[in-house]
Amino acid sequence: MKIFLISNMFPSDKDPSFGVFVRNFKIGLESCDIKFHATSVIKGKSSNIYLKIKKYIIYIISIFRNYFKNEFDLIYIHYLSINSLIIWPLLLLGIKKPIIVNVHGSDVIKEGSIMRFFNKILLLRSNLIVVPSEYFKSVMLERYKFLNKCDIFVSPSGGVNSLMFYAKGLRESLNGIITLGFISRIDEGKGWRLFLELISSLNTKGYLINGIIIGDGLQKEKMLNDIRQLNISNCIDYRGLVAQKNLINSFNEFDLFIFPTLLNESLGLVGLESMSCGVPVVASNIGGPSGYINDKHNGILFETGNITELIKSVVLYFNLSKSDKEKIRNNAINTSKEYQHQEVIKNLNQKIIEICLEK
């Protein structure tokens, strides 16, 4: 089986978290003896518009060159959006090979009217649409009425690598200090401001709090300024970007992982990675996380955007007995096992083979 992979998101040495799920997907399928005979990807984010344009020109040339070499059995497209526009001329030529489109979330949620038009064309031509969760499958069916349930296959973003994310031992707070973690892009809607308000409030109430923030984004400087204005610099450890392979060390420092997103996340894989490390998640009751977090069983859900409810949820966990906390930790680990990388890749591999055989 030879696949032509197309993705405008792929990690680079300077930006190891950009599209890391695509790299994990590729590595996973290669372990199933699938060959990526042609690959057209954009590695890392661009620091300026000119570099971004240059990358996209090279990307488009690579796509057309690889297509006309015709050395593949199937085209697998990660991320809809701009790729539907780029692929459109090839669709007009009449692509004979099967096409699988892996939708991630923002490529659909943020589509404008023009991109929606091209997205529809590519989805209509696709032999299979892969989505990261049952929640987002329902979003796709609602958004594109022409799709049927059988057109969509749920595969949770490469799953959780249990060899990379695991509990190193029972977490014990040091000197009574409670460590709360936040891992995300520092962008609009990701809830970083709620996290800062949570730390500030708990600090004011007399709790010994350490907040660890990992990530980067367009609002990084605003976040750093807000940290200073809230006077919580002494209890915030901002670490910037951390390679995925090194996140296990941070997860194992957390007492709780805070996932205060304001967005309809298509899955929220980082929450499952936290749970795999035995760290319960306190998450907004919205989108993907609401599908795998069972309130007060393997984590805690709170009303989206409600800082008062977020604070109550964290304090509620603090006040649980040691045995009740351990139950939630164990339940979190057990839930993450349902999303294990090996099983996710195995199921996706079988589905890809089915699509090729049908063709």
Side-chain angles (χ1 to χ4, degrees), residues 22 78-79 84-85 90 97 99 115 127 182 189 197 230 249 258 267 278 292-293 311 321 327 334 348:
V22 181
H78 265 281
Y79 208 77
S84 63
L85 178 59
L90 297 178
K97 304 291 178 70
I99 298 175
M115 203 59 69
N127 298 81
F182 176 87
E197 290 175 6
L230 289 169
N249 296 321
I258 310 300
L267 175 64
Y292 58 75
I293 295 177
I311 295 167
S321 66
K327 286 178 183 177
N334 289 334
L348 180 58

Short mmCIF file of all heavy atoms in Angstrom, two decimals, residues 22 78-79 84-85 90 97 99 115 127 182 189 197 230 249 258 267 278 292-293 311 321 327 334 348:
data_model
loop_
_atom_site.label_atom_id
_atom_site.label_comp_id
_atom_site.label_asym_id
_atom_site.label_seq_id
_atom_site.Cartn_x
_atom_site.Cartn_y
_atom_site.Cartn_z
N VAL A 22 -0.07 14.65 12.83
CA VAL A 22 0.14 14.14 11.47
C VAL A 22 1.39 13.28 11.42
O VAL A 22 1.41 12.21 10.80
CB VAL A 22 0.24 15.29 10.45
CG1 VAL A 22 0.43 14.75 9.04
CG2 VAL A 22 -1.01 16.17 10.52
N HIS A 78 -4.57 15.54 5.09
CA HIS A 78 -4.78 16.01 6.47
C HIS A 78 -5.10 17.49 6.44
O HIS A 78 -4.32 18.29 5.90
CB HIS A 78 -3.51 15.79 7.31
CG HIS A 78 -3.52 14.51 8.07
ND1 HIS A 78 -4.21 14.34 9.26
CD2 HIS A 78 -2.92 13.33 7.82
CE1 HIS A 78 -4.02 13.11 9.70
NE2 HIS A 78 -3.25 12.47 8.85
N TYR A 79 -6.22 17.84 7.00
CA TYR A 79 -6.68 19.24 7.10
C TYR A 79 -7.37 19.63 5.81
O TYR A 79 -6.79 19.60 4.73
CB TYR A 79 -5.51 20.20 7.40
CG TYR A 79 -5.92 21.45 8.15
CD1 TYR A 79 -6.17 21.40 9.52
CD2 TYR A 79 -6.07 22.66 7.51
CE1 TYR A 79 -6.56 22.54 10.21
CE2 TYR A 79 -6.44 23.80 8.18
CZ TYR A 79 -6.69 23.74 9.54
OH TYR A 79 -7.07 24.88 10.21
N SER A 84 -8.46 21.96 0.11
CA SER A 84 -9.56 21.72 -0.83
C SER A 84 -9.45 22.66 -2.03
O SER A 84 -9.80 22.29 -3.15
CB SER A 84 -10.91 21.90 -0.13
OG SER A 84 -11.08 23.24 0.32
N LEU A 85 -8.95 23.87 -1.80
CA LEU A 85 -8.76 24.84 -2.88
C LEU A 85 -7.59 24.41 -3.77
O LEU A 85 -7.66 24.48 -5.00
CB LEU A 85 -8.51 26.22 -2.28
CG LEU A 85 -8.23 27.37 -3.26
CD1 LEU A 85 -9.38 27.54 -4.23
CD2 LEU A 85 -7.98 28.66 -2.49
N LEU A 90 -6.96 19.51 -9.66
CA LEU A 90 -6.74 18.09 -9.91
C LEU A 90 -8.06 17.33 -9.96
O LEU A 90 -8.21 16.37 -10.72
CB LEU A 90 -5.83 17.50 -8.82
CG LEU A 90 -4.41 18.08 -8.75
CD1 LEU A 90 -3.63 17.46 -7.60
CD2 LEU A 90 -3.68 17.88 -10.07
N LYS A 97 -7.69 7.81 -8.27
CA LYS A 97 -7.32 7.10 -7.05
C LYS A 97 -8.25 7.49 -5.89
O LYS A 97 -8.82 8.59 -5.88
CB LYS A 97 -5.87 7.43 -6.67
CG LYS A 97 -4.84 7.11 -7.76
CD LYS A 97 -4.70 5.63 -7.99
CE LYS A 97 -3.72 5.34 -9.12
NZ LYS A 97 -2.32 5.64 -8.78
N ILE A 99 -9.55 8.90 -2.37
CA ILE A 99 -9.15 10.07 -1.57
C ILE A 99 -9.74 9.93 -0.17
O ILE A 99 -10.94 9.67 -0.01
CB ILE A 99 -9.66 11.38 -2.19
CG1 ILE A 99 -9.07 11.61 -3.57
CG2 ILE A 99 -9.32 12.57 -1.27
CD1 ILE A 99 -9.63 12.83 -4.28
N MET A 115 -14.36 29.10 1.09
CA MET A 115 -13.72 27.84 1.44
C MET A 115 -14.75 26.74 1.65
O MET A 115 -14.50 25.57 1.33
CB MET A 115 -12.88 28.03 2.71
CG MET A 115 -11.76 26.99 2.85
SD MET A 115 -10.60 27.02 1.47
CE MET A 115 -9.81 28.59 1.75
N ASN A 127 -13.59 9.39 -0.75
CA ASN A 127 -14.09 8.04 -0.50
C ASN A 127 -14.31 7.80 1.00
O ASN A 127 -15.07 6.91 1.37
CB ASN A 127 -13.08 7.02 -1.02
CG ASN A 127 -12.88 7.12 -2.52
OD1 ASN A 127 -12.13 7.99 -2.99
ND2 ASN A 127 -13.56 6.29 -3.28
N PHE A 182 -1.40 23.81 32.47
CA PHE A 182 -2.13 24.31 31.31
C PHE A 182 -1.21 24.12 30.11
O PHE A 182 -0.11 24.69 30.06
CB PHE A 182 -2.49 25.78 31.50
CG PHE A 182 -3.16 26.41 30.30
CD1 PHE A 182 -4.53 26.33 30.13
CD2 PHE A 182 -2.41 27.11 29.34
CE1 PHE A 182 -5.16 26.93 29.04
CE2 PHE A 182 -3.03 27.70 28.26
CZ PHE A 182 -4.41 27.61 28.10
N GLY A 189 -9.56 32.15 22.64
CA GLY A 189 -10.49 31.06 22.84
C GLY A 189 -9.94 29.83 23.52
O GLY A 189 -10.69 28.90 23.84
N GLU A 197 -6.79 33.63 36.00
CA GLU A 197 -7.74 34.07 37.02
C GLU A 197 -7.92 33.01 38.10
O GLU A 197 -8.09 33.32 39.28
CB GLU A 197 -9.08 34.41 36.37
CG GLU A 197 -9.04 35.66 35.51
CD GLU A 197 -10.36 35.90 34.78
OE1 GLU A 197 -11.33 35.15 35.03
OE2 GLU A 197 -10.42 36.83 33.96
N LEU A 230 -1.75 40.77 37.28
CA LEU A 230 -2.45 40.02 38.33
C LEU A 230 -1.53 39.73 39.52
O LEU A 230 -1.98 39.17 40.53
CB LEU A 230 -2.98 38.70 37.76
CG LEU A 230 -4.18 38.82 36.79
CD1 LEU A 230 -4.43 37.47 36.10
CD2 LEU A 230 -5.43 39.26 37.55
N ASN A 249 7.28 14.56 31.54
CA ASN A 249 7.86 15.09 32.78
C ASN A 249 6.98 16.19 33.38
O ASN A 249 6.81 16.26 34.60
CB ASN A 249 9.27 15.64 32.50
CG ASN A 249 10.23 14.55 32.05
OD1 ASN A 249 10.19 13.44 32.57
ND2 ASN A 249 11.06 14.85 31.08
N ILE A 258 -5.70 21.59 33.78
CA ILE A 258 -6.82 22.50 33.56
C ILE A 258 -6.99 22.72 32.05
O ILE A 258 -6.06 23.12 31.35
CB ILE A 258 -6.60 23.86 34.27
CG1 ILE A 258 -6.19 23.63 35.74
CG2 ILE A 258 -7.85 24.71 34.17
CD1 ILE A 258 -7.22 22.88 36.56
N LEU A 267 -11.49 17.17 19.53
CA LEU A 267 -11.16 16.05 20.42
C LEU A 267 -10.54 16.55 21.73
O LEU A 267 -11.06 16.31 22.80
CB LEU A 267 -10.21 15.06 19.72
CG LEU A 267 -9.70 13.91 20.60
CD1 LEU A 267 -10.88 13.01 21.03
CD2 LEU A 267 -8.66 13.09 19.87
N GLY A 278 -2.19 9.67 34.48
CA GLY A 278 -2.83 9.60 35.79
C GLY A 278 -3.14 10.95 36.39
O GLY A 278 -3.33 11.07 37.60
N TYR A 292 -15.28 12.48 26.58
CA TYR A 292 -14.48 11.45 27.25
C TYR A 292 -14.30 11.71 28.76
O TYR A 292 -13.77 10.85 29.47
CB TYR A 292 -13.11 11.27 26.58
CG TYR A 292 -12.22 12.48 26.49
CD1 TYR A 292 -11.53 12.97 27.61
CD2 TYR A 292 -12.01 13.13 25.27
CE1 TYR A 292 -10.69 14.06 27.51
CE2 TYR A 292 -11.16 14.23 25.17
CZ TYR A 292 -10.50 14.68 26.29
OH TYR A 292 -9.66 15.77 26.20
N ILE A 293 -14.75 12.86 29.25
CA ILE A 293 -14.70 13.11 30.69
C ILE A 293 -16.07 12.87 31.30
O ILE A 293 -17.06 13.49 30.91
CB ILE A 293 -14.22 14.54 30.99
CG1 ILE A 293 -12.77 14.71 30.54
CG2 ILE A 293 -14.33 14.83 32.49
CD1 ILE A 293 -12.23 16.11 30.73
N ILE A 311 -13.27 27.53 39.64
CA ILE A 311 -12.66 27.58 40.97
C ILE A 311 -13.30 26.53 41.88
O ILE A 311 -12.60 25.79 42.59
CB ILE A 311 -12.80 28.99 41.58
CG1 ILE A 311 -11.99 30.00 40.76
CG2 ILE A 311 -12.35 29.00 43.04
CD1 ILE A 311 -12.32 31.44 41.08
N SER A 321 -11.00 13.03 49.60
CA SER A 321 -10.08 12.20 50.37
C SER A 321 -9.01 11.62 49.45
O SER A 321 -9.17 11.61 48.22
CB SER A 321 -10.85 11.04 51.02
OG SER A 321 -11.35 10.16 50.03
N LYS A 327 -9.12 7.07 43.08
CA LYS A 327 -10.14 6.47 42.21
C LYS A 327 -10.27 7.25 40.91
O LYS A 327 -10.33 6.67 39.82
CB LYS A 327 -11.49 6.43 42.93
CG LYS A 327 -11.60 5.37 44.01
CD LYS A 327 -12.97 5.45 44.69
CE LYS A 327 -13.07 4.44 45.83
NZ LYS A 327 -14.37 4.56 46.55
N ASN A 334 -7.76 4.45 32.98
CA ASN A 334 -8.56 3.44 32.28
C ASN A 334 -9.27 4.02 31.05
O ASN A 334 -9.38 3.36 30.02
CB ASN A 334 -9.57 2.81 33.23
CG ASN A 334 -8.92 1.91 34.27
OD1 ASN A 334 -7.83 1.37 34.04
ND2 ASN A 334 -9.54 1.77 35.43
N LEU A 348 -7.49 2.27 11.89
CA LEU A 348 -7.40 3.17 10.74
C LEU A 348 -6.76 2.45 9.55
O LEU A 348 -7.22 2.58 8.41
CB LEU A 348 -6.59 4.42 11.09
CG LEU A 348 -6.42 5.46 9.97
CD1 LEU A 348 -7.78 5.95 9.47
CD2 LEU A 348 -5.59 6.63 10.46
#
